[in-house]
Amino acid sequence: QVQLVESGGGLVQAGDSLRLSCTASGGGFNGLSMGWFRQAPGKLREFVALITWPGGYEKYAHSVKGRFSISRDNTNLTVYLQMNSLKPEDAAIYYCAASYKWIPSTQGEYDLWGQGTQVTISS
């Protein structure tokens, strides 16, 4: 069973950059499209970004387009979320998720989830 572990969260100032990582272990990374989601206090979990297997197609939430970038290193079983020009409203727990569907369209189409990493932003 593939397990996902996120890292890279922390406390930064508005305008700073941060890179999150999500590493898969315990099974194959092949064929998995990878997504990032986030959940702020009192809000529903929302989609942030998607990168398909093996790469080449990316999709972003409107709120992060142009500031965030998703990428993957299939050799090292890792997906990244580069977050630039961070805003206070980007503060949330960020979750990595994996789907065997090439372009999952709902959260329910993701098969595996990480435990999340906290991103806190001071203004």
Side-chain angles (χ1 to χ4, degrees):
Q1 176 77 355
V2 177
Q3 294 183 321
L4 305 176
V5 178
E6 303 97 333
S7 61
L11 171 64
V12 297
Q13 293 186 330
D16 284 353
S17 297
L18 200 61
R19 189 176 79 159
L20 306 182
S21 300
C22 172
T23 301
S25 64
F29 198 58
N30 291 359
L32 288 172
S33 290
M34 303 297 295
W36 285 97
F37 292 78
R38 67 186 182 187
Q39 187 169 21
K43 295 188 175 181
L44 297 175
R45 187 167 60 190
E46 64 176 0
F47 168 78
V48 175
L50 162 72
I51 186 166
T52 56
W53 170 261
Y57 176 82
E58 300 166 18
K59 181 180 177 181
Y60 297 91
H62 177 74
S63 59
V64 307
K65 192 174 289 186
R67 299 187 299 121
F68 290 13
S69 177
I70 190 170
S71 61
R72 63 189 298 161
D73 179 347
N74 295 329
T75 299
N76 291 306
L77 313 184
T78 301
V79 62
Y80 303 98
L81 185 67
Q82 177 67 43
M83 306 187 293
N84 299 327
S85 303
L86 282 161
K87 303 176 181 180
E89 53 263 40
D90 293 319
I93 299 175
Y94 282 72
Y95 297 91
C96 172
S99 176
Y100 290 102
K101 190 175 177 66
W102 187 50
I103 304 180
S105 57
T106 67
Q107 294 189 34
E109 292 181 336
Y110 286 82
D111 303 285
L112 304 164
W113 292 84
Q115 83 289 349
T117 186
Q118 178 74 53
V119 173
T120 305
I121 301 167
S122 62
S123 55

